[in-house]
Amino acid sequence: MLPLLFAAALALPVPASAPIPVSPPVLSAAPFDQDGVRVASNGSIALAVWNDQRIGRNDVTACRITADGTPLDRTGFVVRTATKLRDVFWNGTSFVVLTGPDSISFDLESVISYVSPVGDVTEGDVLAPDTMIYAARMGAGTDVRFLFLPFDGAAAYARVVDVHGNAMRAGDYHYDETATVLAASDGTGFLELRPYSANPYTTPPTWLSYTLDRDGNVVRSDDPHLPAGFGSDALITDARGGYLLFGGYTGAAIAFIHLDANGMATGPPQTIVSSDPNGHGYGPVTATPTSDGFLASWFDSEGRVYVSRNGGAPVMTFDCACYNFGVDAAYEPLNDLLFLSYDDGDTSNADVYVQKGNAVPVVITQAAQRQTSAAIAAGANGFLVAWTEEDAAEGCYVYVRRYAPDATPLEDVRVAATDRIHSGISHFSKVSVVASGDAYLVKWDLYGFSSARRMDARTGKWIDDEPFVIDLAATAMAAASNGKDALAITVGDCDTVLWCPTTVHPISMSGGSSTSPVEVSKLAAQTTPAIASNGSDYLAVWNECLVNCKTQGSGGSGRLAVMRLHADGTPIDAAPIVLDPATYYFTNLAAGWNGKSYLVTWSTGSGDARAALVGSDGAVQQLGSIPGLYSVSKIVAHAGEFLLLNTNDPGYREPDELRVTLLDGSSTIIAPQPSDAFGPIDGASDGSHLMLTYDRVDDAAGRVGRVFIDPRIFPSRKRAVR
């Protein structure tokens, strides 16, 4: 193996300008679910807080609302990332937000954050470890205490702390079976309701009430004498003293029971809504204490919102006509604001709305449509960028846009493909762009169909009126051009056939008919292959099984194979050339040509990226592991050197370091540099200009992934010193 030498003054490409969005954001309801809404008020401004999954993980997000129901933060703002909302209240100077786990996580503590009336967020103290779940809050101002319980709800192991994490009772880990626990405080202590069964496999559970003092000590436990089968949606304090338990029982869809300070039922349930003989269901009840009692709210199964004040006759406040239960609700009594989380059928999943009185609810969870799968290629007069975008109401799209070498748009965004069947859920995958110079080939996968569409690079006109299918049964595909036409390489479906063929498909880039596909192997494993061209011929790369691919599955033995191909797809080599004979599957295959040789990279089971040079004559030069790289997503040739692209942690997480590694023909490698790339990255060079493209979280678009182009230049540098 040749040594990997570091350059003395070799520099990475640096930004030529700030990243440029491929399209302006248009705000609508945010993608994915927004639910678990809670609300607090300082009298003039309310703070609505919820669990927000718009970037594929759960971030606790907030929006300030005026007394008349007007949202002040159009796209909301993040209070704390990668956690769940537990509670929010006003302490006299700030809104206090409690976040933490809702299941055993062993890495997510319960933490306090402070939000000022102008929306500034400050993180406070840790209140409880990840083995404790938040149960209830008591007190106001500086005399606030929190009750935490172990995951099985055992009151004897309770933890009580103040807002700075000072423990009145330390609590302890205890786990038997996770219990559905309800807890509340009357201002003097805590009440916990917990199901109990001597044998949960044979005996239906009954409820036990536990009364705790303000320091978390159990004062007494009793059977609260609830009616058999009574539900348990919400537990709140009663303005008359004691508590109110909301749920349902036989004959009543929604009812409540008065409990005394020890959690004992003081009378029979009081029905708010009877069971519907026509089968209409009712969503879970949320209840909020008010100065004169309570307000309860719920949805029915046809999307209507109802409220009841102090158990009075239900009043319908809104009909979303969405034929779907709402998720949850929260009420702000000072300004009569009802916050609802529901899916109206016309937006993506559940969104949070605010309703002032009986007015039409206004969505407060806004963002632009999510863009993903950025891809790029360099053509005759610039670059073509492609990406996928989801429109919750209309469908999913593959979009493209042409750019001049200086990153100036040559035209508006164009539609390459549309999937209107699966509205709001993108099923386009593996988008890529190949350029022959005068034409572009945009390709994607959709439900196992490998499809493509050609465009004239100089005019931007589509060569194909509609997309065409390259392979009806491929599980993965890659493509490359030799400057005239193109070859696509596909891997067959091992689940439906005995063997998994590797097939190459000649594609005419001028729009003429293509020749028949050529099978180059029957032993491909189901990972995405790679292909590159030296301007005449091609080099194909794939994983090859050592035995029947169908029977051995993804965990069987394999090897990394390459084969040189003529322009028509017929093999130059009589048999595949084995680059890595190790007996496991390889991932993240990539290939490129720099004018002298092919570079092939792959990831191994040992967690590193490896590389080899392959000449036009088939000679192989192993380069070994690439220091600091786990994988390579794309190889771009620029000025005779290889640029290796990847992100440290692709996917919908925090923006991460952009792994840009430069590898020249003499095996020189230099370190990565930081960037704001968010998802997988692509890049292209026209010989003079380098353009990257990727998606990142865009605050202006409501913190969803949006596609950007990133023009880069190479600073002047000395050659590598040996």
Side-chain angles (χ1 to χ4, degrees):
M1 182 184 74
L2 292 181
L4 299 176
L5 305 177
F6 284 84
L10 200 59
L12 285 169
V14 297
S17 69
I20 302 167
V22 294
S23 63
V26 178
L27 298 183
S28 60
F32 299 109
D33 281 325
Q34 288 81 46
D35 55 25
V37 61
R38 302 288 184 271
V39 63
S41 175
N42 66 1
S44 59
I45 293 177
L47 184 75
V49 194
W50 61 88
N51 297 311
D52 200 309
Q53 300 178 36
R54 69 182 68 187
I55 67 169
R57 67 165 186 226
N58 197 87
D59 290 343
V60 174
T61 304
C63 177
R64 295 169 302 140
I65 312 293
T66 63
D68 64 358
T70 302
L72 293 178
D73 308 293
R74 192 176 184 194
T75 61
F77 57 91
V78 174
V79 176
R80 192 161 180 251
T81 62
T83 187
K84 285 290 187 78
L85 173 64
R86 301 273 69 92
D87 199 358
V88 59
F89 62 95
W90 174 252
N91 70 357
T93 58
S94 299
F95 295 100
V96 184
V97 181
L98 175 63
T99 58
D102 62 351
S103 61
I104 296 178
S105 63
F106 298 110
D107 63 357
L108 193 62
E109 299 166 317
S110 293
V111 175
I112 282 290
S113 299
Y114 298 95
V115 180
S116 73
V118 296
D120 295 329
V121 179
T122 304
E123 187 161 311
D125 298 290
V126 175
L127 302 190
D130 54 6
T131 56
M132 305 291 285
I133 276 291
Y134 173 67
R137 165 176 50 91
M138 67 172 290
T142 58
D143 187 28
V144 171
R145 296 189 177 191
F146 301 92
L147 172 67
F148 291 87
L149 295 167
F151 282 82
D152 63 357
Y157 297 87
R159 173 180 176 85
V160 174
V161 297
D162 65 15
V163 292
H164 301 296
N166 300 313
M168 290 73 199
R169 181 181 177 84
D172 198 4
Y173 174 80
H174 186 266
Y175 184 79
D176 182 11
E177 290 187 8
T178 302
T180 301
V181 174
L182 294 176
S185 172
D186 63 0
T188 62
F190 298 96
L191 175 67
E192 175 194 349
L193 294 179
R194 177 174 177 243
Y196 169 78
S197 176
N199 187 337
Y201 298 101
T202 60
T203 307
T206 58
W207 287 90
L208 288 178
S209 65
Y210 296 87
T211 306
L212 294 80
D213 65 18
R214 60 186 279 112
D215 293 328
N217 302 302
V218 178
V219 177
R220 60 181 289 177
S221 63
D222 296 283
D223 178 355
H225 300 297
L226 301 179
F230 190 85
S232 54
D233 284 346
L235 178 68
I236 64 171
T237 57
D238 185 358
R240 300 181 301 173
Y243 298 87
L244 295 172
L245 176 64
F246 293 81
Y249 70 109
T250 303
I254 299 173
F256 66 96
I257 299 176
H258 283 279
L259 308 178
D260 66 17
N262 294 313
M264 306 294 292
T266 62
Q270 299 183 44
T271 298
I272 300 177
V273 177
S274 299
S275 297
D276 190 331
N278 297 319
H280 291 159
Y282 299 91
V285 180
T286 60
T288 303
T290 61
S291 59
D292 63 346
F294 68 86
L295 182 137
S297 177
W298 63 92
F299 290 81
D300 70 10
S301 57
E302 295 187 349
R304 292 181 287 252
V305 182
Y306 292 88
V307 298
S308 169
R309 295 182 183 272
N310 304 325
V315 176
M316 186 180 73
T317 64
F318 181 64
D319 183 358
C320 76
C322 53
Y323 302 99
N324 195 1
F325 277 119
V327 179
D328 47 35
Y331 181 64
E332 194 276 280
L334 295 178
N335 295 298
D336 191 25
L337 299 175
L338 184 63
F339 294 84
L340 310 163
S341 176
Y342 64 88
D343 182 356
D344 65 4
D346 291 328
T347 60
S348 55
N349 306 99
D351 300 290
V352 178
Y353 298 78
V354 60
Q355 182 180 26
K356 174 71 173 181
N358 291 332
V360 176
V362 176
V363 66
I364 63 174
T365 50
Q366 295 193 77
Q369 302 299 332
R370 189 171 69 109
Q371 298 174 336
T372 61
S373 304
I376 191 171
N381 59 347
F383 298 83
L384 182 72
V385 179
W387 67 93
T388 63
E389 187 166 333
E390 303 162 6
D391 186 318
E394 299 295 331
C396 307
Y397 301 88
V398 176
Y399 285 118
V400 297
R401 194 173 196 182
R402 291 191 307 144
Y403 289 86
D406 64 358
T408 301
L410 295 178
E411 61 200 357
D412 292 336
V413 173
R414 308 277 300 282
V415 176
T418 305
D419 177 17
R420 297 188 183 276
I421 299 176
H422 303 88
S423 177
I425 305 174
S426 179
H427 290 272
F428 291 111
S429 63
K430 302 171 185 175
V431 176
S432 66
V433 184
V434 172
S436 64
D438 290 334
Y440 294 112
L441 177 75
V442 184
K443 79 89 183 165
W444 59 87
D445 290 353
L446 181 64
Y447 303 108
F449 292 83
S450 296
S451 302
R453 196 172 182 185
R454 292 165 291 193
M455 172 184 280
D456 188 302
R458 298 184 184 278
T459 66
K461 294 182 178 180
W462 289 112
I463 296 173
D464 306 294
D465 292 335
E466 298 290 338
F468 62 93
V469 175
I470 296 175
D471 195 319
L472 289 171
T475 61
M477 182 178 75
S481 174
N482 62 1
K484 180 182 178 182
D485 292 311
L487 271 186
I489 178 173
T490 61
V491 173
D493 184 357
C494 296
D495 292 331
T496 58
V497 296
L498 184 61
W499 303 106
C500 309
T502 299
T503 306
V504 291
H505 305 258
I507 299 173
S508 170
M509 293 293 279
S510 63
S513 60
S514 301
T515 57
S516 300
V518 178
E519 184 179 286
V520 295
S521 172
K522 291 183 178 293
L523 298 173
Q526 289 185 349
T527 53
T528 301
I531 189 169
S533 175
N534 61 6
S536 177
D537 302 321
Y538 294 86
L539 183 76
V541 188
W542 67 89
N543 265 317
E544 192 161 73
C545 304
L546 298 182
V547 295
N548 186 328
C549 301
K550 181 178 176 65
T551 59
Q552 74 177 19
S554 61
S557 299
R559 63 185 184 183
L560 185 67
V562 302
M563 177 178 279
R564 294 175 301 143
L565 306 171
H566 292 296
D568 63 359
T570 57
I572 296 174
D573 301 302
I577 302 168
V578 178
L579 286 192
D580 197 329
T583 56
Y584 47 73
Y585 281 100
F586 306 98
T587 57
N588 305 302
L589 309 185
W593 170 262
N594 70 345
K596 300 176 182 178
S597 60
Y598 294 105
L599 175 69
V600 180
T601 59
W602 64 97
S603 296
T604 69
S606 59
D608 62 349
R610 307 186 72 179
L613 296 173
V614 180
S616 291
D617 59 357
V620 175
Q621 179 184 357
Q622 294 286 352
L623 300 181
S625 297
I626 305 175
L629 277 185
Y630 175 78
S631 65
V632 176
S633 61
K634 180 68 176 289
I635 298 174
V636 179
H638 182 85
E641 295 165 336
F642 292 113
L643 193 68
L644 313 184
L645 305 179
N646 200 17
T647 51
N648 269 346
D649 194 4
Y652 282 89
R653 298 178 177 89
E654 290 286 359
D656 208 343
E657 185 180 68
L658 172 63
R659 308 292 293 190
V660 181
T661 303
L662 198 63
L663 177 65
D664 74 4
S666 60
S667 308
T668 303
I669 295 178
I670 61 176
Q673 66 180 17
S675 175
D676 56 3
F678 183 61
I681 186 170
D682 198 2
S685 170
D686 65 0
S688 301
H689 306 86
L690 175 69
M691 193 88 74
L692 307 180
T693 186
Y694 47 79
D695 59 296
R696 68 174 191 180
V697 175
D698 184 8
D699 289 337
R703 301 181 326 282
V704 295
R706 299 285 288 180
V707 170
F708 288 76
I709 60 170
D710 189 344
R712 297 273 169 153
I713 59 173
F714 280 86
S716 59
R717 60 189 184 274
K718 300 177 183 178
R719 292 299 302 166
V721 175
R722 288 185 165 274

